[in-house]
Every structure is written in structure tokens, then in C-alpha cells.
Amino acid sequence: MIDLWAEAQKIFTRYPPDRRRSALLPLLHLAQERDGYVTKGGIDEIAGLVGISSAEVRGVASYYHMLKLQPKGRRVVSVCHNMACTMLGAEGIVSSLEGHLGIAAGETTPDGWVTLERAECLAACDLAPMLQIDYNEMVGPLTSESVVQVIEGLRGDGIAPERAPEAEPPPLVDSIELTAEDRALLHEDDPGRATARDDEEWE
Amino acid sequence: MPETRVVSKRFREHADDSFTIDRYLATGGYEGLRRALGEYTPDELVELVQASGLRGRGGAGFPTGQKWSLMPKDVSPRYVVVNGDEGEPCTFKDREIIERDPHAVIEGALIAAYAVRAEAAYIYLRGEFGLGFRRLDRAVAEAAERGFVGEGIAGGDFSCPVVIHRGAGSYEAGEETALLDSLEGYRAQPRLKPPFFPAVKGLFHQPTALNNVETVANLPQLVMNGTDWFRSWGTEKSPGTRIFSVSGRVDRPGNYEMSLGVPLPDLLDLAGGIRGGKSFKAVIFGASAPWVTDPEITLDFEAAAAAGSMLGSGSVIVMDETSCAVRMAYVTARFFNHESCGKCTPCREGTWWQSKLLERLERGEGRAEDVDVLTDVCDSMSDPQLPYAPKGNCFCPLGDGAAWAVRSAVQLFPDEFRAHVELGGCPFEPERAEERAAVA
């Protein structure tokens, strides 16, 4: 289990003392690794560590492709569809995977195993057409057939889809005692607006 | 013509373990840093790099020594930042350098840090480079153990920590001021220049030497061998070698290091020539660069500029007769639309319109006037007047690049755009081969 507080103390030493905010991306990476995605709780924790508002943290996290604010699959498969890969058949790779997994690019399999996404150039055009697994391993050159084997090859990894689906993600608003006034402020009737509170400064 | 391996020499000859410190030290590693610290004052080092004519390998090609000399001497602290956020489509040389020769990046960064009297060196690494991050992280730890990073480097009185900062997926973070914003914990959006030229007001608003991975990887050998040696390759204005990332419709895509100024056919020979003996159509030096149809072009900054393009980050994307210009323009526009940071209107809206119009054309649902609308969108993003330089319509060069690339596609291949409208579909789809012949 990643101890975000302890990691933060180490990360802060890499930047000038009055520049704790530089630790934001490293901490967001760690929080995502710990929780599976960037959760509301993770955002609040980081905001507290860095000393800025949760809204600021969320604003940064939502900018970067690799940070997910919604639950993602246990494996993320990113298929490059940029210039070199397109010239060598990236669309065939995407449709082959969509057919095999039964989902469209941008979606996660119902069992929570794989999130399939289209990606812009991943800087491995010598492998085109290629894909990347979990923003780490690069695989290519692929064909519409071989890519299915690549995905099936992931099944022996111990986090295969035979497992029970993960528990429901935690609710957006943490369970705290709320007054009627709070509830009105939080627009409880409209959960999409329930994060409005983030916009206020932390201190 | 064989490769000229200077920067890539170590990792080509010792592919198995070039990333380890033992191999690095056994092949002359950290000697450049020792010599820089022992035999040069910081100012002499800046002069050496200026005299060598080394130009930035990231894309703009700005002279490295001149960049350093612009840093005010009386302001401290000062920083070195290495740009390892390689995101320009079809450029993959920095990734290979980082993964296979991480110590060269560290040594280069430290030489730069000594030259500009920096307090710390930060290496901003693209988030998707998982292997590169692990290798670089380990390399910094190994180098620190051997006394090359941290306090009292190589037993002297120069101290400099090296910090690896991992991005999280953003092309825009490769733009130098956006990179600094990202490194400071903000969204990767560009800053206004002036006043935020990195050399003057860079990281934490302090003077900063911001250089590309390949640029700093050149420094150790430059210090060891001197400017005459360095200038024995390349042209007068583009000295040295360059690692070209060759991709697209060639037989053996990959990184090939050659002297700057070699003709394109020599590079394509190394990459095995065009796939299946097809004929050459165009070469694209990275997504932002205007396309080039001259198959004999030489690969240096001046020749690329003379051909109405730019050498950019070293990517050489090869299109052959089977590659559809409209589809490539669409892929380019879709990319820029995806990566536009949203800070300025011409880029945020312009890339969206480009992408939508081109998608419609490629699907065969376009109208004849769509091509004019497309050109108009490009012109509003970047003034069509030559030369190719950011025109100030957009906040940073991302918008200009999107306009240049798409406009050049329309100008070079007007018939293909017309054919898409007339045929009501892409003439390059295999089943349309006969119709294509009829239109052409």
C-alpha cells in the first residue's frame, strides 16, 4: 500500500521549499497507482499535502490523458492512431480489438478488465502499427490477427477477468454529517453539481 | 552511405547493457564532465558550445550556446531543464536515447548545469515512457553512488542534484513554457513570451537553460573532442549529426544517425527504401511541418527552410503512392485538436474545425467549398505569409503548426481533395482503385 504522506515528504525535497506544488504530478501518479484511478479522496488528500484547493488539484488532473478521474480497467490498452501507424493499418487494429473485446474505443469491458483507448503518437513508430499496455510496455508491429493474441496473452497475468468485478466506486461526496443548509449548497438533488464545494479555497 | 554514429555509438555497439553505469564508464562515460569541471570555467564552456554551432535538436533549432548566453548572470538560483517530453508525431529518438543511454543525458545535463551555474537539473520525462523512467531513475541513483550527481561532483566543489519529473500525458507539455508550467504543478499551458523566455524567466521564474535530450546528449563528446571535431559533420550552419526517426511506408523504420545535410535518399536507403517498391509521394518532418514533395531534399535546417518547411524534431515520415493526403491531413488535424490546450481561441476552435472538415472530406461527405473553408480556417490560425514562423494569431506554435501542415496538404495535393468530393469517398480505399484511376 502506498503511503502518500510519506512519499510526499520525499518528493517535496526535490523542489525548492516554497514550491511544493511541483509535487502535484508525482503525487497524482501515486494516488492513481494506489486507488486504481484518481478518486475524490485522493484529490482531497493531495490538496491537503500540497496546500492548495481540491479544485486546483482536480483542474490539473483533468488536463492530463494518463490520469483518470473515472474508474478504469485493470489494464489500459492504448492503440496509436497517429500518422505512421495509420499509414500501416492502425484502424484495422482498433476495429479488431473492438470486435474481440465487444466494446468501442474509449470504453471498459463490463468485467472491468480492459480499458481500450485510441492514443496519439507514442514515440515508437519503428513498431508501427503498435499499442501500449498500461502506459508502459510497447508492442508492435501488429496485425489484426496478432493483436488478438497480444490481448489474450494478458490473461495469464494474475489479474485476469475471472476475478469478481471490483466494488462500486466510492460516492462522489464523502459520508459526512450534513446540515440541511449544506445539502442545499451541495445540490444533493443533482449529483453532477455536488463538487461545487471544491471551488472554494481550502484554507 | 552507412550511419555516422556519434550520439548513438554506445547504444548501437553495446545494445545489451549500454544503459548500465559499468558499461557507460568503460566506454568513456563521465570523462566529458570531468574535463568540463577540471579544465573549463563555466564561461569558457558556454563559449565552446557557441563556437561549435550546436543547434537545439528539439524542433526549433535555436543555437544552444546562444540560448545559454542569454541567461542573466546576476540572477540566482538558476536551473537546467532537459526536455524529454518527446511527443512530436513520429519522433522517437529521445525515447531511444533515454532508454539505452540514460547516463549520457545525465552527464550532458550536468555539463550544462556547470556551464550556466545551475543549482539543480530537472529532466522532464514524457509520462508514457515507462521503461525510460525506470532506466533513468536507476541511472541517477547509480551516478549518485559513484559521486557524479549531488554534492561535490567528481570530487570537486561543484554540486548539482538531478531530478526526474514524470509528465502525465500531454503533447503541449513539450512546448518549453508549457513544460515549465507542468513542472510547477499546473496544466501544461504555454506562457506569454516576453517576459517568460525560459533563459530569463523560466522554471520558478528564474533563469533556466532548457534543452532537448539529444542536444544535451551531444555535450559530453563535444567537450572531449572539441569544436573542430564536432564541425567535421554537417553544414556550416547546421553542424554535427542528427538522429533521424524514419517512419511510415519504409521497409525498416527506425532511428538512424547521419551527418546533417545528407540527401534524403541516403537516409531512405538505410531504412530499406520504400515498402514494396512503391513510389515516393511526400516526406513530413513531424506533424507541424509543411509537407515536402522533393525526394532529393537534403536534411539540414537551411535546406528544409528553403523548401518551405522546417527540419523540426528529426522525424521523417514517408508517404508513398498508397498514402492518402486527405487522410494524413485529417490524422494531423485530429491530433492537434486532441492536444490543443484550449488556452487560446484560434487554436482551440481552429483545430476543431480542421478536424471536422477533414473528417467529412475523408468520409466522402464533403462539399466542394469545404476546401476553401479549410484554407480560411488555416489562415485565421496562422497568417499564410512566408516565412514559416509563429505569427502571433495563436498563443504558441501548436496552432501555427496545425495550420502549416494542413495548408500544405491542400496546396500540394488539390486533386486528391477534389477527388474525395467528386467520388463521395476516399479514392485510396482498395475497392476504389479503378475509380481513382478514372479521376486521375
Side-chain angles (χ1 to χ4, degrees):
Chain A
M1 188 71 169
I2 293 169
D3 180 346
L4 218 50
W5 184 88
E7 294 293 333
Q9 306 316 310
K10 280 187 262 173
I11 295 169
F12 289 149
T13 64
R14 301 176 196 160
Y15 309 95
D18 57 339
R19 295 287 181 173
R20 283 189 161 199
R21 190 169 171 147
S22 280
L24 213 47
L25 282 187
L27 288 172
L28 282 163
H29 274 302
L30 287 169
Q32 172 155 295
E33 196 182 323
R34 184 189 65 181
D35 302 334
Y37 69 105
V38 180
T39 63
K40 172 88 168 54
I43 286 177
D44 290 343
E45 208 178 329
I46 292 171
L49 287 166
V50 176
I52 55 177
S53 74
S54 296
E56 290 264 9
V57 178
R58 178 184 287 266
V60 171
S62 65
Y63 182 85
Y64 295 92
H65 314 316
M66 284 171 66
L67 301 171
K68 310 292 184 197
L69 293 169
Q70 301 295 327
K72 60 175 170 60
R74 289 184 292 279
R75 309 304 292 259
V76 179
V77 174
S78 316
V79 184
C80 175
H81 70 170
N82 208 291
M83 303 171 86
C85 287
T86 291
M87 271 192 245
L88 298 172
E91 288 308 319
I93 307 298
V94 174
S95 32
S96 172
L97 277 181
E98 287 180 335
H100 182 70
L101 294 168
I103 52 171
E107 294 177 350
T108 304
T109 53
D111 56 15
W113 178 39
V114 168
T115 296
L116 176 65
E117 58 181 30
R118 287 167 170 269
E120 296 301 348
C121 187
L122 291 161
C125 317
D126 44 344
L127 301 177
M130 57 79 63
L131 58 75
Q132 188 174 34
I133 299 165
D134 298 336
Y135 302 110
N136 184 20
E137 192 190 346
M138 316 227 182
V139 190
L142 302 162
T143 65
S144 305
E145 293 79 40
S146 74
V147 71
V148 172
Q149 291 163 14
V150 170
I151 294 303
E152 286 307 304
L154 295 178
R155 286 196 192 267
D157 61 1
I159 48 171
E162 289 80 29
R163 270 197 186 181
E166 281 185 350
E168 282 288 299
L172 209 53
V173 179
D174 298 333
S175 50
I176 45 172
E177 287 298 316
L178 298 176
T179 64
E181 204 180 335
D182 287 336
R183 283 178 204 284
L185 275 173
L186 283 170
H187 302 282
E188 279 248 296
D189 51 327
D190 180 1
R193 299 185 60 183
T195 50
R197 213 168 55 135
D198 281 348
D199 290 326
E200 286 164 32
E201 277 296 312
W202 232 72
E203 282 99 5
Chain B
M1 190 189 286
E3 276 190 85
T4 308
R5 290 175 179 163
V6 177
V7 175
S8 60
K9 187 171 193 286
R10 181 178 294 109
F11 64 75
R12 290 278 179 255
E13 288 177 5
H14 305 282
D16 295 342
D17 61 353
S18 57
F19 56 90
T20 62
I21 192 155
D22 291 330
R23 174 61 69 193
Y24 193 69
L25 291 172
T27 48
Y30 291 109
E31 289 301 319
L33 178 63
R34 278 183 200 280
R35 178 170 292 189
L37 297 178
E39 297 175 21
Y40 288 88
T41 66
D43 289 345
E44 285 168 357
L45 215 47
V46 175
E47 280 163 27
L48 174 83
V49 174
Q50 263 183 310
S52 74
L54 173 65
R55 296 173 70 165
R57 301 313 198 217
F62 195 82
T64 304
Q66 197 184 333
K67 215 179 207 181
W68 294 355
S69 70
L70 293 173
M71 293 169 69
K73 292 197 181 347
D74 50 349
V75 184
S76 66
R78 305 136 71 81
Y79 298 102
V80 162
V81 175
V82 178
N83 186 344
D85 190 67
E86 182 173 56
E88 189 63 34
C90 306
T91 313
F92 44 101
K93 48 148 185 119
D94 292 344
R95 180 176 64 83
E96 187 158 28
I97 296 172
I98 290 162
E99 286 177 359
R100 293 169 177 260
D101 207 359
H103 285 286
V105 182
I106 296 168
E107 185 178 359
L110 288 168
I111 291 171
Y114 176 67
V116 305
R117 301 180 176 87
E119 190 159 282
Y122 292 91
I123 302 175
Y124 187 101
L125 194 65
R126 183 172 172 181
E128 288 90 340
F129 290 174
L131 177 63
F133 177 73
R134 291 193 297 278
R135 292 242 168 114
L136 201 50
D137 198 44
R138 190 175 133 193
V140 170
E142 284 174 340
E145 266 173 35
R146 311 283 180 107
F148 294 113
V149 165
E151 297 294 319
I153 289 174
D157 51 10
F158 174 66
S159 300
C160 183
V162 174
V163 175
I164 304 159
H165 189 96
R166 198 173 176 193
S170 160
Y171 166 73
E172 180 59 13
E175 197 279 335
E176 53 181 11
T177 59
L179 181 150
L180 295 174
D181 253 23
S182 180
L183 184 42
E184 291 183 18
Y186 294 86
R187 297 163 81 96
Q189 293 186 319
R191 300 171 176 177
L192 193 63
K193 293 190 273 191
F196 293 107
F197 287 108
V200 184
K201 268 188 176 307
L203 183 62
F204 309 132
H205 294 192
Q206 297 294 322
T208 301
L210 212 164
N211 298 109
N212 170 261
V213 163
E214 189 188 349
T215 313
V216 298
N218 267 289
L219 294 174
Q221 296 189 64
L222 173 59
V223 171
M224 285 307 289
N225 302 306
T227 54
D228 290 342
W229 169 86
F230 186 75
R231 283 184 172 278
S232 64
W233 296 286
T235 65
E236 173 64 28
K237 287 184 178 166
S238 304
T241 61
R242 185 100 202 237
I243 301 180
F244 293 102
S245 301
V246 188
S247 66
R249 300 209 57 91
V250 291
D251 241 2
R252 290 192 300 274
N255 285 321
Y256 298 96
E257 184 169 9
M258 293 195 93
S259 166
L260 274 159
V262 294
L264 177 63
D266 287 0
L267 181 63
L268 294 190
D269 279 349
L270 285 177
I274 302 213
R275 266 184 207 212
K278 298 271 197 260
S279 62
F280 173 89
K281 179 168 179 171
V283 59
I284 311 175
F285 300 130
S288 335
W291 301 3
V292 173
T293 48
D294 175 8
E296 307 289 326
I297 188 172
T298 58
L299 299 164
D300 53 82
F301 293 100
E302 309 92 272
S309 185
M310 59 193 72
L311 198 54
S313 54
S315 85
V316 175
I317 310 166
V318 180
M319 283 170 75
D320 70 4
E321 56 188 304
T322 68
S323 327
C324 169
V326 178
R327 166 155 288 221
M328 280 307 111
Y330 166 54
V331 170
T332 307
R334 178 178 65 186
F335 162 74
F336 281 119
N337 183 38
H338 184 253
E339 299 296 343
S340 173
C341 79
K343 182 163 182 160
C344 74
T345 314
C347 173
R348 184 184 62 231
E349 303 300 317
T351 53
W352 188 88
W353 277 99
Q354 285 184 323
S355 177
K356 289 293 159 200
L357 285 163
L358 284 161
E359 184 181 11
R360 192 157 86 181
L361 284 162
E362 171 64 8
R363 276 203 197 142
E365 295 159 8
R367 297 173 302 208
E369 62 268 30
D370 280 356
V371 180
D372 295 332
V373 178
L374 186 60
T375 309
D376 196 48
V377 169
C378 293
D379 292 353
S380 64
M381 294 165 74
S382 183
D383 199 296
Q385 211 108 43
L386 290 172
Y388 287 101
K391 297 294 183 352
N393 301 40
C394 294
F395 202 91
C396 85
L398 189 148
D400 292 283
W404 296 334
V406 170
R407 191 192 288 129
S408 75
V410 174
Q411 285 171 350
L412 291 172
F413 301 103
D415 295 349
E416 282 186 28
F417 282 80
R418 210 180 49 237
H420 277 73
V421 176
E422 285 172 8
L423 284 176
C426 177
F428 288 85
E429 299 289 340
E431 64 273 18
R432 289 179 177 270
E434 281 176 28
E435 293 175 67
R436 177 168 80 236
V439 171

